[in-house]
Amino acid sequence: MKLKKALHPATLALIIGSSFLLASCDENKSNANQNEMPSVPVNVFKTQPLNYTIKTILPARVVASQIAEIRPQVSGIILKREFDESSNVTEGQSLYQIDPAIYQATYDSAIASVESAKANANIAHLTLTRYEGLLKTKSISQQEYDKAKADSQQADASVLVAKANLNTAKVNLDYTKVYSPIEGYIGKSNVTEGALVNAGQQTPMALVQKLDPIYIDMTQAATIFERNEKDRGSLYKPDQKVELYFNDGSKYEYTGKIKFSDKTVNETTGTVTLRAEFANPDSKILPGMFVKPHYTLGVIENAVLVPQKGITSNELGNYTAIVALPLNNEGTDGGEQQYYFEKRNDVKVYSGIPGYWIVTSGINVGEQVVVSGLLNLSGQNLNDPNNKIMANIININKPETLSQEELDTIIERNLK
């Protein structure tokens, strides 16, 4: 059998070296493929520090700051109405005159009764004085003296009773003049001259209402009221004020202030009442009107607003967002800054306005939130530090933003 010729040692070494070189190139190519990070095209929204004014519209009705129902304190015939209907009256101004004849007679009789009682008391005191001397000489018995003393005390009491009756008669006589207890606007009179009125009657003779200042009673859901009270001072800086709008859309010239908030919840509606006070020098606001107050609670300073399309929720119902964070290369060697994705699963939302969420935690000012291309990232583990997914930010030079002026416009539009 013929043997094959053995390879030359130099040739064998060349073949082995070439094999090692090819294997090394394949390994380097494999490592390069492993080190190349995948890139996903997205658009981002860059958050800005904004001042978000918390405003809301509440149902409201106008009420007078003071209301006096004019009712007679004595019965009688109305002799005269002493005011002009639908006018302003002052405190203490006479409104009606009730026929005083019978009350004047009673008053005069009471005066006479007082004088008679005083005369009787005087006689009783004189008798007691004489009896004191007679008692010393034993001209009268002790019983007679005691009776004279008791008669004297009873006469003094009769004087007090007569004076009390006189005061009552004087008060009733004064009540025949009906005065306004407050300053304000008086409407129509419910009685005319010649009408009979009765003391303490159910129907008032007239109504006096103080219109300056004027009150606006607003109602708010108890749950929202409690949340606002909880967030006061911690989430937002209180700056309460009320702006008033009429049904035609015009704005009232004066700004109101919150006078009080009721701590009692209406069992039927589940609401609480907030009362605002407004200056009303020209009586443009009238009791009973329905108005549209814009209630400002305060301002969230340096608020973070994110488009609603950039906020999603996970299977647990928590809000999530994906942000594009820069690598630490900072664009060295003339290269561009690179960004990678990070998923935030702890985003907290305060509330929403058209198109945006107000984020209270989980996203910081200046961060770039992914607002498009989210479907390409579904199912990816974005928080794996050893396998970062790179972001190809399409609008990197001009990211979406929201200015303070745009935010204020959205807030105002949302209130209409």
Side-chain angles (χ1 to χ4, degrees):
M1 187 169 88
K2 189 175 181 180
L3 296 175
K4 293 183 179 180
K5 186 178 180 179
L7 293 176
H8 190 274
T11 303
L12 181 61
L14 180 61
I15 293 173
I16 293 173
S18 299
S19 299
F20 278 118
L21 181 61
L22 290 173
S24 176
C25 289
D26 290 341
E27 183 178 355
N28 290 336
K29 184 176 181 180
S30 176
N31 290 335
N33 290 335
Q34 289 178 358
N35 292 329
E36 183 180 353
M37 302 180 191
S39 177
V40 178
V42 293
N43 285 318
V44 296
F45 174 90
K46 188 173 183 179
T47 59
Q48 306 292 331
L50 302 172
N51 292 330
Y52 176 75
T53 304
I54 305 175
K55 286 187 176 182
T56 184
I57 296 180
L58 299 177
R61 194 170 186 175
V62 181
V63 295
S65 55
Q66 283 184 287
I67 300 175
E69 294 182 340
I70 308 302
R71 288 188 173 88
Q73 300 297 305
V74 294
S75 301
I77 302 296
I78 299 295
L79 293 183
K80 187 178 180 182
R81 172 171 58 84
E82 299 180 317
F83 67 92
D84 293 328
E85 293 178 305
S86 187
S87 65
N88 291 321
V89 296
T90 59
E91 182 180 351
Q93 179 178 332
S94 178
L95 303 179
Y96 296 95
Q97 175 63 65
I98 299 175
D99 186 0
I102 188 173
Y103 300 101
Q104 182 67 53
T106 303
Y107 175 68
D108 294 340
S109 177
I111 292 177
S113 297
V114 170
E115 295 302 321
S116 176
K118 286 181 177 179
N120 292 334
N122 187 40
I123 293 173
H125 283 295
L126 292 174
T127 301
L128 180 62
T129 301
R130 288 197 305 269
Y131 276 22
E132 286 178 351
L134 295 173
L135 182 62
K136 292 178 181 179
T137 62
K138 305 296 182 179
S139 299
I140 61 171
S141 65
Q142 183 67 40
Q143 182 179 359
E144 290 176 310
Y145 173 79
D146 291 341
K147 183 178 184 304
K149 185 176 181 180
D151 289 341
S152 174
Q153 292 173 342
Q154 186 175 9
D156 289 339
S158 297
V159 172
L160 295 177
V161 171
K163 287 183 177 180
N165 291 334
L166 176 62
N167 289 336
T168 301
K170 181 65 169 64
V171 169
N172 287 335
L173 180 60
D174 290 342
Y175 277 157
T176 60
K177 293 281 287 185
V178 181
Y179 300 97
S180 174
I182 63 172
E183 177 184 359
Y185 167 81
I186 190 168
K188 69 173 185 176
S189 174
N190 294 324
V191 295
T192 61
E193 288 86 349
L196 174 64
V197 294
N198 297 303
Q201 64 184 28
Q202 288 293 105
T203 304
M205 302 163 68
L207 195 67
V208 180
Q209 301 178 91
K210 189 172 183 179
L211 304 183
D212 185 23
I214 198 80
Y215 292 157
I216 308 295
D217 281 355
M218 306 173 289
T219 56
Q220 186 177 44
T223 53
I224 298 177
F225 175 80
E226 290 175 0
R227 185 185 70 173
N228 292 337
E229 290 295 301
K230 179 181 178 182
D231 294 336
R232 182 192 304 273
S234 58
L235 177 63
Y236 66 88
K237 182 180 179 181
D239 184 23
Q240 289 183 317
K241 66 178 180 179
V242 183
E243 298 170 299
L244 196 61
Y245 290 82
F246 298 103
N247 290 329
D248 61 358
S250 61
K251 183 180 179 181
Y252 186 55
E253 56 188 308
Y254 297 101
T255 299
K257 60 181 180 180
I258 296 296
K259 190 171 181 64
F260 74 86
S261 55
D262 197 353
K263 302 300 182 182
T264 303
V265 179
N266 186 300
E267 296 180 358
T268 304
T269 61
T271 59
V272 296
T273 298
L274 295 88
R275 172 166 287 179
E277 182 181 277
F278 282 82
N280 191 30
D282 301 322
S283 299
K284 291 183 179 179
I285 309 175
L286 300 177
M289 292 176 60
F290 289 98
V291 290
K292 296 179 179 178
H294 291 189
Y295 175 34
T296 300
L297 284 84
V299 178
I300 302 177
E301 297 178 340
N302 298 321
V304 174
L305 277 87
V306 177
Q308 292 180 353
K309 59 185 178 181
I311 303 291
T312 58
S313 58
N314 57 23
E315 61 276 3
L316 299 177
N318 298 325
Y319 289 107
T320 65
I322 297 175
V323 297
L325 299 177
L327 286 172
N328 294 327
N329 54 28
E330 298 181 356
T332 56
D333 300 330
E336 293 183 356
Q337 173 67 276
Q338 291 181 299
Y339 294 83
Y340 69 95
F341 295 113
E342 181 180 280
K343 188 172 183 179
R344 303 284 173 81
N345 296 310
D346 57 348
V347 177
K348 304 295 182 184
V349 171
Y350 166 72
S351 182
I353 58 174
Y356 294 88
W357 289 115
I358 299 100
V359 177
T360 56
S361 66
I363 301 175
N364 300 317
V365 172
E367 290 188 323
Q368 302 187 84
V369 181
V370 177
V371 292
S372 70
L374 293 172
L375 290 177
N376 298 329
L377 298 171
S378 60
Q380 301 282 354
N381 183 7
L382 303 180
N383 295 337
D384 184 357
N386 299 319
N387 186 27
K388 289 184 172 63
I389 298 179
M390 303 305 294
N392 176 18
I393 302 177
I394 300 174
N395 60 340
I396 187 171
N397 294 323
K398 194 175 181 181
E400 296 181 29
T401 58
L402 179 67
S403 67
Q404 184 67 56
E405 182 179 358
E406 291 172 331
L407 173 59
D408 293 340
T409 301
I410 293 174
I411 294 174
E412 291 301 323
R413 287 179 180 175
N414 193 38
L415 294 173
K416 294 181 179 179

